[in-house]
Amino acid sequence: MARIVIVSNRVPSSAARGPQAGGLAVALKDCLKDGGLWFGWSGETAPQTCADVKIGSVGKIDFATIDLSREDYRQFYVGFANSALWPLLHFQPGLVEFDRAHFETYLSVNRIYARALAALIEPTDLIWVHDYHLIPLAYFLRALGVENRVGFFLHVPFVPASLLSVLPRAEKLLRMLCAFDVVGFQTHEHLRDFEDCVRNMLNVTTDVAGPIIVDNHPVLAIATPIGIDARSFARQAKRSAHSRVAKRLDESMQGRALIIGVDRLDYSKGLPNRFDAFGRLLDRFSEHRLKVSYLQVAARSREDVAEYQRLKRDLDRRAGEVNGRHAEFDWVPLRYITRAISRATLAGFYRKARVGLVTPLRDGMNLVAKEYVAAQDPDDPGVLVLSRFAGAAEDLTEALIVNPLDADEIAEAMHQALTMPRAERKARHEKLFEKICQTTATTYCRDFLSALLGGPYDVLT
Ligand code: ADQ
C-alpha cells in the first residue's frame, strides 16, 4: 500500500504527537494507522527560513518539520494567510488586508516547503495537503518534477467568483490550486462555488463528469465532509460526565440548565452576536432568569493578528455588560473562559448542556456541532442550535437552524430548545446521531484517499 504523506501548515507539537493529539490529528488517525510521514512548519521561528528539515517519529509516524524566519511567519502566516485569505474565505471582504509583499512571501514559503518535501518523498507516496496556507504547494512540486498524486483538502469555506475576484492575484492562486490532482471541500455548496470560480475566472467548462481540465492538467473536485469518531466520543462523554471536574460544574449550576458554546476566539464564530442573543433571551423570556447559565469556552487564537485582539476586547466588554445587566448576587448568567479545555473535559460538559450553541457567521464544517450531538445522553438529550452558515448545517438539518446575524432568532431558538418536550428532543437527536455516525473521520479519510488513488482505499486494512 502506498505511503501517506500528510502536509499541513502546523505539525502537531511533540507534546501533542502521542495518543492525546487533537484536531486534525484525530481526524487523520485512521489513515496514519499503518504509519506515514507528516510534514510542515514546526511552530518555531529561526533567524532564517530554510529547507533543512528536523525529523522525529512517534510509533509508526515520522514527523518532518522546518522552521520559519520571524519575517516569513509575519508575512506568510499572520499576513497573507490569516489577514487576507482567512477573512475572504469567511465572506468578510471588509476585513481583508492585502499586501503584495505578503503575497510574494506566501508564494516563496510554499516554494521552500515544496523543495523540502520533494527531498523526502518516494515515487509511490500519496501526498495529502491540508488547508489554505498551502494552496500553491502542488504547483511548486510540479515545477520540481514531482509526479506523485497530490491532493488538497480545504478545511474552511470556498467563495463564489464574485467574492474571490475581490482578492488581488486571485486568478493566479486559483490556477495554482488547480495544479493538484484532487481538490476536496467540506460541502457541496463550497464545491459549487469552486466550480463557479473556475468557470467565471478561468473560463473553463465544469459541466462534465470527472476531472476539470485547467492548463492541460486534470483536477478532480469533490466534497468529502470531515467528521468525528462519534461512537468513541459518545463513550468518552459518558465517562467524563462522572469526572471530578464535571461534578464541580454540576455543583456550581445548582440545578440550573446549562447552555454551552465552544469555539476558538475567532470573528468567524459569531461570538458577539451570540452574547447579545443570550442577553435578549433573558430580556424577552424572563422565565429563564435565574434558571440558566451560559458557559462560553473561547480559546484564544492568532493573538498576533490585530483583528483578533480587537475581538477579544469587544467580547470582554460584552460579557461584562450582559452580566452587569442581568446577574444577581448568587447568579452569574454568562461564564466566559478564554482558555482551551481538554477534549475529555469538554465531552463531559457537552453532555451536561441542555443547549449547544454553534452560531458561526461562516464555517467550513464546525466539529463542535458534531461533538455536541455525539456527547448527548440519548434518553435525555440536549438540543443543538446551529448556524445555517456552518458546513455542518448541510447535513444536520434536525438541529434548530438559525441565521447567526439575527440575535432575536438565536434567542428564540434558545427558548425553543430550553422548553422542548423530551420526545421531540429524542427524535431530533436520534436522527442527528445517525448522521454523524455515517460521515465520520474514517469515511472522510477513505473517501478522499480513494479519490486521490483513483480506486478504493481502505483505511482500515
Ligand atoms: P476550527 O475553526 O478550529 O477548524 P472547529 O471545527 O469548530 O473549528 O474545531 C476544531 C476542534 O477544536 C474541535 O475538535 C473542538 O472541540 C476544538 N476546540 C474548539 N474550540 C475549543 C476550545 N475553546 N477549547 C478546546 N477545544 C476547542 C477548521 C475549520 C472548521 C472545520 C475544522 C476541521 O474552521 O470549519 O470543522 O477545521 O476541518
Side-chain angles (χ1 to χ4, degrees), residues 313-371:
R313 285 195 297 274
D314 180 36
L315 288 174
D316 289 352
R317 186 183 56 76
R318 283 178 199 252
E321 218 167 71
V322 171
N323 279 333
R325 200 148 55 87
H326 295 283
E328 295 287 344
F329 67 91
D330 57 352
W331 174 52
V332 181
L334 170 54
R335 304 172 181 197
Y336 166 53
I337 300 174
T338 57
R339 289 185 307 276
I341 288 189
S342 82
R343 230 175 134 65
T345 301
L346 272 185
F349 284 10
Y350 287 140
R351 193 172 175 96
K352 298 202 171 285
R354 172 58 70 223
V355 183
L357 264 190
V358 179
T359 60
L361 304 180
R362 284 279 160 181
D363 220 330
M365 176 55 63
N366 196 297
L367 291 179
V368 170
K370 297 190 174 187
E371 290 165 359

Side-chain angles (χ1 to χ4, degrees), residues 22-24 86 90 131 153-157 186 226 228 233 261-266 268-269 296-300 302 337 339-343 346 350 362-369 371 391 444:
L24 192 56
W86 176 274
H90 287 87
D131 234 358
F153 184 77
L154 185 68
H155 289 261
V156 299
Q186 300 271 24
I226 197 165
I228 60 169
F233 198 79
V262 176
D263 307 79
R264 276 184 311 97
L265 209 160
D266 192 298
S268 67
K269 303 294 182 182
Q296 177 62 52
V297 187
R300 290 192 303 276
R302 301 179 196 162
I337 300 174
R339 289 185 307 276
I341 288 189
S342 82
R343 230 175 134 65
L346 272 185
Y350 287 140
R362 284 279 160 181
D363 220 330
M365 176 55 63
N366 196 297
L367 291 179
V368 170
E371 290 165 359
Y444 164 68

